[in-house]
Amino acid sequence: MQQEVKLLIKLQAVDLEVKHIQDKKEEGPKGLRHIEKKAKEQEEDLKAVLGTQEELKQKKKGKETELEDEIAHLKKCQGKLMAIKTNREYQALLKEIEEIKKANRKREDEIVAVMEDIERLEKEIKEKQEELSKIREELTIEKGKLDSLFHKYDKELAKFEVNRKTMVKDIPEELLKRYDFLRSKRNGLAVVGVLNAVCLGCHMNIPPQLYNELLKEKKMIYCPSCQRIIYYQDVPKAANEKG
Ligand SMILES: [Zn+2]
């Protein structure tokens, strides 16, 4: 195999590692975003329940004030009973008193029902708050994990960058340009083997004449289908069968 192809294969191995790390760096925050979304949904859920509970508290307050007023009204009516002269007026006031009492009993029942609703929501709010703090805790843990992971990735990337700088020194500029161009167009794979006259990059057959040239290993050969730099490979290599 030509020296330049050997160098490119080595360089590609480094570049694929770098790409792999960059992909992982991109993937990393996705999990976080999922938890952040969960936290936000839970916050909104909680806010809605708190709002409903506040409305119920206001409703209860209103009914209590109403009941207090009606209790005062009732006392006033009861006080008036003594001063009444005619039986007709007396009966009418008694009837009114009964009606106030009846309405107040209804008010009391309503207040109890609202209080029960408030209590039920209290339980729900507590559960939602607990769930929210669990999610927030998870978020903090995952953020910490991601931070240290990113730190590790960046250290690896820096190391690869140094390696790459040394490696490219031995590769002719034009070839390197072509390699970088192919790499960007072909999902990181610019140099591939040819096994049994089949390009391992695009899985197309290499025409016999070109294949003969390839076997001579004298000059750079490019796959006519995918334009990748190709080399003769007699043993399958897992790394070259990707993408
Ligand atoms: Zn090809």
Side-chain angles (χ1 to χ4, degrees):
M1 195 186 293
Q2 304 101 295
Q3 187 59 21
E4 282 171 357
V5 175
K6 276 185 191 164
L7 288 173
L8 284 180
I9 292 171
K10 273 189 190 168
L11 182 64
Q12 181 167 270
V14 168
D15 284 337
L16 284 173
E17 284 288 346
V18 168
K19 189 173 178 290
H20 182 57
I21 295 169
Q22 281 166 343
D23 287 349
K24 280 198 285 190
K25 273 185 86 174
E26 249 174 63
E27 277 299 310
K30 280 185 188 163
L32 266 193
R33 279 199 285 276
H34 170 72
I35 305 171
E36 276 167 348
K37 193 171 161 244
K38 229 167 63 177
K40 202 161 180 251
E41 279 168 1
Q42 191 67 16
E43 274 166 24
E44 274 163 17
D45 237 27
L46 180 62
K47 212 173 132 190
V49 182
L50 281 169
T52 309
Q53 197 199 38
E54 186 52 37
E55 276 169 27
L56 287 177
K57 280 180 180 170
Q58 290 300 326
K59 192 174 161 191
K60 177 177 163 260
K61 217 170 155 187
K63 286 202 176 290
E64 279 168 347
T65 310
E66 209 179 276
L67 181 62
E68 273 168 32
D69 290 349
E70 284 307 305
I71 287 169
H73 182 198
L74 181 67
K75 274 184 185 158
K76 221 169 140 192
C77 290
Q78 282 166 335
K80 272 201 269 178
L81 271 180
M82 299 302 170
I84 281 175
K85 302 279 189 291
T86 72
N87 190 44
R88 223 184 79 198
E89 278 176 311
Y90 190 80
Q91 290 305 326
L93 194 57
L94 267 188
K95 202 178 160 220
E96 192 185 341
I97 286 169
E98 270 320 300
E99 271 165 16
I100 295 169
K101 279 184 182 171
K102 204 177 141 194
N104 281 356
R105 276 196 297 275
K106 198 173 157 238
R107 284 187 184 99
E108 280 166 358
D109 289 346
E110 282 169 357
I111 289 169
V112 170
V114 173
M115 278 166 74
E116 280 169 2
D117 283 345
I118 291 171
E119 239 172 78
R120 188 173 46 76
L121 285 184
E122 195 65 53
K123 213 177 141 218
E124 203 178 314
I125 285 164
K126 209 173 155 239
E127 282 167 5
K128 283 187 190 299
Q129 279 167 337
E130 277 167 14
E131 181 62 23
L132 183 60
S133 42
K134 263 189 218 159
I135 297 171
R136 281 179 178 157
E137 212 173 296
E138 192 190 347
L139 195 61
T140 310
I141 293 170
E142 289 305 313
K143 269 185 184 164
K145 274 191 205 163
L146 201 64
D147 275 350
S148 53
L149 208 57
F150 267 44
H151 186 67
K152 191 183 128 215
Y153 290 157
D154 287 340
K155 264 169 84 178
E156 285 174 358
L157 285 176
K159 201 178 78 193
F160 281 129
E161 203 183 327
V162 173
N163 278 353
R164 191 177 205 273
K165 269 185 185 154
T166 317
M167 290 170 115
V168 295
K169 276 180 197 157
D170 300 325
I171 300 169
E173 207 185 319
E174 278 307 307
L175 182 62
L176 190 62
K177 263 190 200 165
R178 179 130 194 194
Y179 163 80
D180 280 332
F181 175 76
L182 281 168
R183 196 159 68 90
S184 69
K185 298 284 176 199
R186 295 283 181 263
N187 198 28
L189 217 53
V191 192
V192 292
V194 168
L195 187 69
N196 301 327
V198 171
C199 166
L200 294 180
C202 65
H203 304 285
M204 297 297 281
N205 277 301
I206 304 298
Q209 205 181 336
L210 194 64
Y211 188 58
N212 283 336
E213 294 249 4
L214 188 73
L215 291 176
K216 286 181 200 157
E217 297 189 332
K218 287 273 186 280
K219 60 174 190 177
M220 275 296 155
I221 310 270
Y222 301 93
C223 169
S225 304
C226 67
Q227 281 79 44
R228 286 184 175 101
I229 299 160
I230 50 177
Y231 61 89
Y232 170 70
Q233 186 181 310
D234 51 0
V235 188
K237 280 181 191 162
N240 288 323
E241 282 168 355
K242 277 189 206 162

